[in-house]
Amino acid sequence: MSTGVGETVTHEELAENRRFIDAIVETDVMKRAHNYLVRKGQSSSNTMDFKKQLYNIWFRLYHRERGGGQDSCGFEHVFVGETRRHQQILGLHNWVQFYLQEKHGHIDYKGYKARTHKDTPDEDDHVLNLQFSWRGLVKPVAGSFIGVSPEFEVALFTIVFLMSDEKMTSVEVKIDEYVLALIVHRYGRSIGTSYPKLLSSNHQDL
């Protein structure tokens, strides 16, 4: 969990990462993302080259903490979650991991902000700003899509990442009654973090 500790990726883990990329590249949403990036000149039309590009963006290890070894990657940060010196939660923006950690008693859900005039989330909420504690540490706010597929998030944030050279990119979009900021931070050629931030719903700021 902790950054600042160098990681060793085993052959089994490398194979898992590649199987994950192989699987998502076959989905409709990733095919659409790939075609869009090819048209924009950001990706090769060759599928193998695109898979290598995705691997470097999401799974290539880098130094998140100074003085340590290669201790992090975009996928681990966004989809799994990390801590800084066991004192601060980093990342953990994926609803599946949130569900699994809560199921095992590691996460304590503190509250949310979603659409207005509501007391609890329901099946129509697909973006939440959450507050929670994880293994004794509190995250004051974390943006997360709810109920979407991993390939949707990879496709969306890969596009935002590749369409900008800025260290931090924030793209405002409107989906149904939501106004969101899609935020991506880069670590060189890889994603540092990516998440949605709910700005308003039903035309009311949160």
Side-chain angles (χ1 to χ4, degrees), residues 3 20 24 27 33-34 38 42 53 64 70 79 82 86 90 110 144 147 150 157 160 177 185 189 197 205:
T3 58
F20 174 79
I24 65 171
T27 63
H34 186 199
V38 170
Q42 299 299 320
Q53 185 180 33
R64 192 174 290 274
Q70 292 182 322
F79 286 86
E82 305 172 300
H86 302 290
L90 304 176
K110 302 290 187 183
S144 178
F157 291 119
V160 175
E177 72 269 34
H185 291 255
R189 294 180 295 125
K197 182 178 180 182
D205 293 339

Side-chain angles (χ1 to χ4, degrees), residues 77-80 91-100 130 143-146 148-150 153 194:
H77 181 91
V78 174
F79 286 86
V80 181
L92 214 174
H93 297 288
N94 179 254
W95 73 273
V96 177
Q97 172 71 339
F98 190 94
Y99 164 76
L100 292 173
L130 301 165
S144 178
F145 285 109
I146 305 296
V148 303
S149 66
E153 294 192 66
S194 59

Side-chain angles (χ1 to χ4, degrees), residues 11 13 42 54 65 117 121 123 156 168 171 184 191 205:
H11 291 297
E13 289 169 332
Q42 299 299 320
L54 289 174
E65 294 288 334
H117 309 302
E123 67 274 9
L156 186 66
M168 192 282 284
V171 178
V184 173
I191 280 180
D205 293 339

Side-chain angles (χ1 to χ4, degrees), residues 29-114:
V29 67
M30 282 302 297
K31 287 178 180 178
R32 290 190 180 199
H34 186 199
N35 289 336
Y36 176 83
L37 290 167
V38 170
R39 291 200 307 271
K40 294 295 183 179
Q42 299 299 320
S43 295
S44 167
S45 60
N46 182 279
T47 303
M48 289 303 298
D49 290 340
F50 182 54
K51 288 179 181 180
K52 291 176 184 175
Q53 185 180 33
L54 289 174
Y55 196 98
N56 286 331
I57 291 171
W58 288 100
F59 289 102
R60 188 180 66 85
L61 289 176
Y62 50 74
H63 301 266
R64 192 174 290 274
E65 294 288 334
R66 293 180 180 178
Q70 292 182 322
D71 58 356
S72 182
C73 69
F75 187 89
E76 180 181 13
H77 181 91
V78 174
F79 286 86
V80 181
E82 305 172 300
T83 64
R84 175 172 285 131
R85 302 183 191 94
H86 302 290
Q87 296 177 345
Q88 178 187 2
I89 298 171
L90 304 176
L92 214 174
H93 297 288
N94 179 254
W95 73 273
V96 177
Q97 172 71 339
F98 190 94
Y99 164 76
L100 292 173
Q101 291 294 302
E102 187 177 41
K103 183 178 179 180
H104 292 298
H106 300 316
I107 275 183
D108 183 13
Y109 170 69
K110 302 290 187 183
Y112 83 107
K113 285 185 177 180

Side-chain angles (χ1 to χ4, degrees), residues 119-172:
D119 296 323
T120 58
D122 61 31
E123 67 274 9
D124 294 324
D125 285 308
H126 298 295
V127 188
L128 296 177
N129 292 339
L130 301 165
Q131 184 181 85
F132 60 90
S133 65
W134 184 36
R135 298 179 182 271
L137 303 176
V138 174
K139 183 140 189 175
V141 63
S144 178
F145 285 109
I146 305 296
V148 303
S149 66
E151 58 266 28
F152 170 83
E153 294 192 66
V154 170
L156 186 66
F157 291 119
T158 297
I159 289 172
V160 175
F161 176 82
L162 288 173
M163 293 302 294
S164 172
D165 293 326
E166 299 296 322
K167 188 169 183 180
M168 192 282 284
T169 302
S170 179
V171 178
E172 190 171 305

